[in-house]
C-alpha cells in the first residue's frame, strides 16, 4: 500500500497551488483562493473513478467510517457486525457513536464469514460492516442477500482495497456506503485523509453536514448557515486534499505495478506443495496490495515466519500473534478499557470477548502470512524476494 513511495513533483505542484493562495480551508474564502478547490475537485474525480454518485472527503479513514455510520442514522445501542480481523478503526468508529460492535468470525476470504454474520443478527442489528483486508474482498453477494433479507445497511470498509473490483464494480461501491483511507501507508495517500462514497442522496447530504459541525452549506455566509442536526469536525484540509489529487492521478499506474509484482511472488509460492492462497470470491479482482497465503498448520506457519525473518525478508506479516490487526491483539477492547465510562448500551450489549468462541477465525489466521507488495521494487528485486521466500518456506515444510 505504497502511495508514499512515489511522492514527487506532481504532489508538490498541487500543494504549491494551495500554498500560493494561503487558503488552507476547503470552504469559503472564494475571492482569495484563485479558484483552487482541491477537496471539491478530488470528490468529483473520486466519485467518478469509484462509480458512485457522491463522495465526501474527511480527515481520515476512521472519520470516514464514523461519518458513514452517522449519516445512515446509526446511534446508541445499534449493533454493527464486524470481523475479528481488521484495523482497530472498525470498533473505534462504532463505539464513537455509542453503537455496539459485534465481532464475528472470518473465513478463508480473510473477511466476514456470511454464516457467522447471519447467526449474529438480533433485533438491534442495523449494519453489516465487511472489511476488505489486504487488498481483497468479502463475499459481497452473500452479505448483500443477508442485508436485504433482514433490512440491514451494508457498509464496505475498502480502506485496504482501493482499486479492487467485485462483479466489475469498484470495491466500496457495491454496498450502501463505502469507506476509504488515504493515510500515509495506503494505496494512495493524502498524508491523512479518508472518503465516503454512496449513491444515496440522503446519506450524502447527511455526511456533508455531519463532518462539518452540521453546517448546511447553503449560501455564502458560513456564520449565518443553519444546522439541521448535530455534527462534529471531521473536515479535511485543502493541503491534504491537494496531495490526494496528485496521487489519484497515479492510481492506475500503482495498481498495474502491484499486479506485476504480485504475480511474480505468487508464481514462486504456488510451486510449493503445502502453500495455498486466500480465497477471492468469484467475480472479484484484488487490488494486489498484499499476497496472503496459508501453510498447513499453526506450527509450520510459525516456523515459516521465523525462517522468513532469518532470511532477511522484510514487509511480511503474521497477524495472528504479531500484530494488532487481529482480536488477539485487542486487549483494550476485550477488557473494555476506556478513559471514561462507556455508555450503558455498550456495556450491556457487548459480547464477553474474552470468552467468545472465535476458533474458526483462529484456525484461519494462525495459518496466514501476508507479504506487502511494494511498487518501488525492480523486477530483479521481486525475483530475488520470491526466491528468498520460496527457499525459507520450503526449508520448514
Ligand atoms: C487504515 C485503515 C482504516 C483507518 O484509516 P485511517 O485513515 O488511518 O484512520 C480503517 N480500516 C482499515 C481496514 C484500514 O486499513
Amino acid at each position: 500500500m505504497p502511495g508514499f513511495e512515489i511522492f514527487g513533483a506532481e504532489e508538490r505542484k498541487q500543494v504549491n497551488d494551495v500554498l500560493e493562495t494561503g487558503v488552507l480551508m476547503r470552504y469559503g474564502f472564494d475571492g482569495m483562493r484563485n479558484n483552487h478547490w482541491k477537496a471539491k475537485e478530488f470528490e468529483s474525480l473520486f466519485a467518478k473513478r469509484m462509480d458512485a454518485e457522491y463522495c465526501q472527503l474527511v480527515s481520515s479513514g476512521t472519520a470516514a467510517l464514523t461519518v458513514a455510520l452517522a449519516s445512515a442514522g446509526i446511534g446508541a445501542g445499534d449493533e454493527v457486525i464486524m470481523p475479528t480481523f481488521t484495523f482497530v478503526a472498525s470498533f473505534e468508529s462504532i463505539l464513537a457513536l455509542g453503537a455496539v460492535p459485534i465481532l464475528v468470525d472470518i473465513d478463508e476470504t480473510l473477511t466476514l464469514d456470511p454464516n457467522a454474520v447471519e447467526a449474529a443478527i438480533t433485533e438491534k442489528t442495523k449494519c453489516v460492516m465487511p472489511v476488505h483486508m489486504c487488498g481483497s474482498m468479502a463475499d459481497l453477494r452473500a452479505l448483500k442477500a443477508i442485508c436485504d433479507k433482514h433490512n440491514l445497511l451494508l457498509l464496505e470498509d475498502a480502506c485496504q482495497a482501493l482499486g479492487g473490483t467485485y462483479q466489475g464494480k469498484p470495491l466500496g461501491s457495491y454496498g450502501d456506503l463505502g469507506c476509504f483511507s488515504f493515510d500515509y501507508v495506503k494505496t494512495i495517500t493524502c498524508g491523512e485523509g479518508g472518503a465516503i462514497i454512496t449513491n444515496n442522496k440522503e446519506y450524502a447530504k447527511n455526511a456533508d453536514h455531519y463532518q462539518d459541525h452540521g453546517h448546511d452549506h447553503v449560501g455564502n455566509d458560513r456564520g449565518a448557515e443553519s444546522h439541521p442536526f448535530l455534527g462534529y469536525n471531521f473536515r479535511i484540509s485543502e493541503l491534504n486534499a491537494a496531495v490526494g489529487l496528485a496521487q489519484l492521478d497515479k492510481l492506475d499506474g500503482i495498481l498495474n505495478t502491484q499486479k506485476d509484482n504480485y504475480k511474480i511472488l505468487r508464481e514462486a509460492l504456488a510451486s510449493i506443495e503445502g502453500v495455498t492462497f486466500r480465497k477471492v470470491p468469484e467475480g472479484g479482482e484484488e487490488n494486489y496490495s498484499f499476497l496472503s497465503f496459508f501453510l498447513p498448520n499453526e506450527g509450520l506457519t510459525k516456523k515459516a515466519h521465523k525462517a522468513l525473518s532469518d532470511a532477511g525478508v522484510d514487509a511480511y506479516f503474521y497477524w495472528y500473534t504479531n500484530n494488532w490487526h487481529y482480536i488477539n491483539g485487542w486487549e483494550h477492547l476485550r477488557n473494555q478499557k476506556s478513559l471514561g465510562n462507556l455508555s450503558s448500551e455498550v456495556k450491556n450489549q457487548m459480547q464477553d470477548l474474552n470468552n467468545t468462541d472465535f476458533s474458526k477465525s483462529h484456525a484461519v489466521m494462525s495459518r496466514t502470512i501476508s507479504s506487502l507488495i511494494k511498487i518501488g521494487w525492480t523486477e530483479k528485486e521481486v525475483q530475488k524476494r520470491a526466491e528468498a521466500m520460496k527457499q525459507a518456506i520450503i526449508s520448514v515444510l
Side-chain angles (χ1 to χ4, degrees):
M1 297 196 289
F4 68 83
E5 290 184 73
I6 48 166
F7 190 96
E10 301 78 11
E11 283 79 0
R12 279 190 284 278
K13 155 82 174 65
Q14 286 286 354
V15 172
N16 264 328
D17 283 350
V18 179
L19 290 178
E20 271 159 22
T21 69
V23 179
L24 310 183
M25 187 176 180
R26 64 161 301 176
Y27 296 114
F29 304 92
D30 299 27
M32 287 166 62
R33 61 194 310 139
N34 201 16
N35 269 323
H36 292 309
W37 298 93
K38 301 300 184 189
K40 271 191 189 154
E41 198 183 335
F42 186 105
E43 285 168 347
S44 140
L45 290 170
F46 194 71
K48 209 173 203 175
R49 174 66 176 78
M50 289 296 124
D51 203 6
E53 287 287 321
Y54 308 99
C55 167
Q56 177 66 54
L57 264 183
V58 288
S59 52
S60 72
T62 311
L65 293 167
T66 309
V67 173
L69 290 167
S71 75
I74 304 287
D78 293 337
E79 294 181 359
V80 180
I81 295 177
M82 56 161 279
T84 53
F85 176 48
T86 178
F87 183 52
V88 292
S90 306
F91 54 78
E92 288 171 347
S93 60
I94 297 164
L95 289 169
L97 295 167
V100 184
I102 301 294
L103 277 67
V104 308
D105 276 323
I106 55 145
D107 58 22
E108 290 205 345
T109 63
L110 302 185
T111 65
L112 285 179
D113 171 358
N115 294 324
V117 169
E118 189 134 40
I121 293 172
T122 71
E123 77 261 16
K124 298 205 164 114
T125 308
K126 287 285 163 60
C127 174
V128 177
M129 187 196 276
V131 184
H132 305 314
M133 287 298 280
C134 305
S136 182
M137 75 241 51
D139 185 343
L140 286 169
R141 189 162 64 169
L143 293 177
K144 184 156 180 4
I146 292 170
C147 287
D148 287 348
K149 182 170 150 200
H150 297 272
N151 195 22
L152 307 174
L153 197 73
L154 181 61
L155 192 166
E156 292 174 71
D157 178 341
C159 290
Q160 292 195 10
L162 172 61
T165 59
Y166 180 72
Q167 295 182 350
K169 282 183 70 58
L171 293 178
S173 71
Y174 190 91
D176 299 291
L177 292 141
C179 290
F180 300 88
S181 165
F182 309 117
D183 79 21
Y184 194 56
V185 296
K186 295 304 203 280
T187 303
I188 63 171
T189 184
C190 291
E192 299 284 358
I196 299 137
I197 57 170
T198 184
N199 290 331
N200 184 305
K201 195 172 178 182
E202 185 70 17
Y203 299 163
K205 190 189 77 172
N206 290 346
D208 167 83
H209 296 9
Y210 185 79
Q211 56 89 41
D212 186 22
H213 305 293
H215 275 283
D216 69 3
H217 299 140
V218 174
N220 250 340
D221 181 356
R222 194 170 158 79
E225 286 177 17
S226 63
H227 307 85
F229 49 78
L230 294 167
Y232 201 76
N233 180 1
F234 290 114
R235 289 191 308 262
I236 193 163
S237 87
E238 277 291 271
L239 285 171
N240 294 93
V243 175
L245 263 181
Q247 291 258 309
L248 186 53
D249 238 6
K250 302 180 179 181
L251 175 59
D252 289 322
I254 291 174
L255 295 173
N256 287 335
T257 308
Q258 282 181 172
K259 187 170 183 176
D260 291 344
N261 292 347
Y262 170 107
K263 272 192 181 154
I264 294 171
L265 291 186
R266 178 157 178 149
E267 225 164 83
L269 300 195
S271 66
I272 308 172
E273 196 166 332
V275 170
T276 52
F277 297 94
R278 90 179 287 170
K279 185 175 161 201
V280 178
E282 200 187 321
E285 174 154 21
E286 305 181 57
N287 84 344
Y288 304 105
S289 54
F290 285 86
L291 173 65
S292 298
F293 55 95
F294 306 123
L295 285 136
N297 59 52
E298 179 178 346
L300 286 173
T301 313
K302 285 191 163 140
K303 280 189 190 157
H305 170 63
K306 180 162 185 317
L308 285 167
S309 161
D310 292 346
V313 174
D314 67 349
Y316 73 93
F317 304 93
Y318 183 50
W319 314 103
Y320 187 55
T321 52
N322 272 66
N323 206 284
W324 76 330
H325 280 69
Y326 188 55
I327 186 165
N328 285 345
W330 304 333
E331 198 261 337
H332 58 339
L333 177 71
R334 283 189 272 112
N335 296 318
Q336 300 192 10
K337 285 190 183 167
S338 62
L339 285 174
N341 272 330
L342 290 166
S343 73
S344 52
E345 286 89 347
V346 170
K347 281 192 205 155
N348 292 336
Q349 289 166 241
M350 242 180 86
Q351 300 143 293
D352 174 2
L353 291 173
N354 287 312
N355 293 299
T356 308
D357 177 12
F358 291 120
S359 53
K360 279 188 78 181
S361 301
H362 297 333
V364 175
M365 289 315 292
S366 64
R367 296 188 296 116
T368 304
I369 292 177
S370 302
S371 166
L372 188 65
I373 305 293
K374 291 192 186 172
I375 53 175
W377 290 329
T378 63
E379 195 181 326
K380 224 171 133 191
E381 282 169 331
V382 188
Q383 302 279 13
K384 208 175 134 202
R385 178 186 180 86
E387 195 52 33
M389 288 183 74
K390 187 174 162 181
Q391 292 313 326
I393 293 166
I394 285 175
S395 77
V396 304
L397 286 177

